[in-house]
Amino acid sequence: MQSNLVKFDKSDLTNEIDCDSINENQKQNLHKLLLNKLSGILKEDLNKGINMIEKLLSKEETEAFRLELNSKISSESKATHHPMNYSRRIKSLKSCFESLPAGSVL
């Protein structure tokens, strides 16, 4: 049975890459690679990704991250519950057809 826990062995990771000796372009590429990998994990299993992030952060950083997530989720849920303003869209649509003769609209 395979464990869902991702283990980070710092010595294995840091022995492969000496971050101080690589150039800026290599650092940017490494940064993109790491972000893509983490993004893939988050897309696969959100809870697994959040657990990994919590293990990497201090308690203070984790609490700040949790507050940021909560505010982001609550602001997005508020934004999705606003009724659509169709009257403005209708006016915009009408203005598009004002200069056209009625026969060509149909």
Side-chain angles (χ1 to χ4, degrees):
M1 188 168 127
Q2 187 178 5
S3 171
N4 285 339
L5 179 65
V6 175
K7 296 179 182 177
F8 289 102
D9 186 0
K10 187 175 180 180
S11 61
D12 286 347
L13 291 175
T14 55
N15 284 341
E16 295 294 321
I17 301 168
D18 183 10
C19 291
D20 294 332
S21 66
I22 60 177
N23 66 35
E24 201 57 40
N25 190 30
Q26 290 171 322
K27 285 182 184 180
Q28 288 177 352
N29 288 336
L30 181 60
H31 185 250
K32 288 177 188 176
L33 177 72
L34 292 171
L35 287 177
N36 287 337
K37 184 64 174 174
L38 289 175
S39 177
I41 291 170
L42 287 171
K43 285 179 184 176
E44 261 182 43
D45 185 356
L46 186 60
N47 289 326
K48 179 180 174 182
I50 291 174
N51 286 334
M52 285 174 42
I53 290 170
E54 285 180 339
K55 289 177 185 177
L56 297 172
L57 300 177
S58 68
K59 288 187 181 201
E60 295 82 17
E61 290 170 325
T62 302
E63 187 58 34
F65 181 61
R66 184 172 286 121
L67 290 172
E68 188 177 343
L69 284 176
N70 287 335
S71 69
K72 182 80 170 166
I73 290 170
S74 66
S75 68
E76 285 180 3
S77 65
K78 288 177 187 176
T80 58
H81 294 300
H82 291 295
M84 296 295 285
N85 186 354
Y86 290 107
S87 63
R88 189 172 63 192
R89 288 186 176 190
I90 296 284
K91 287 178 186 175
S92 175
L93 189 59
K94 282 181 183 178
S95 69
C96 291
F97 291 103
E98 282 177 352
S99 62
L100 297 175
S104 64
V105 173
L106 298 174

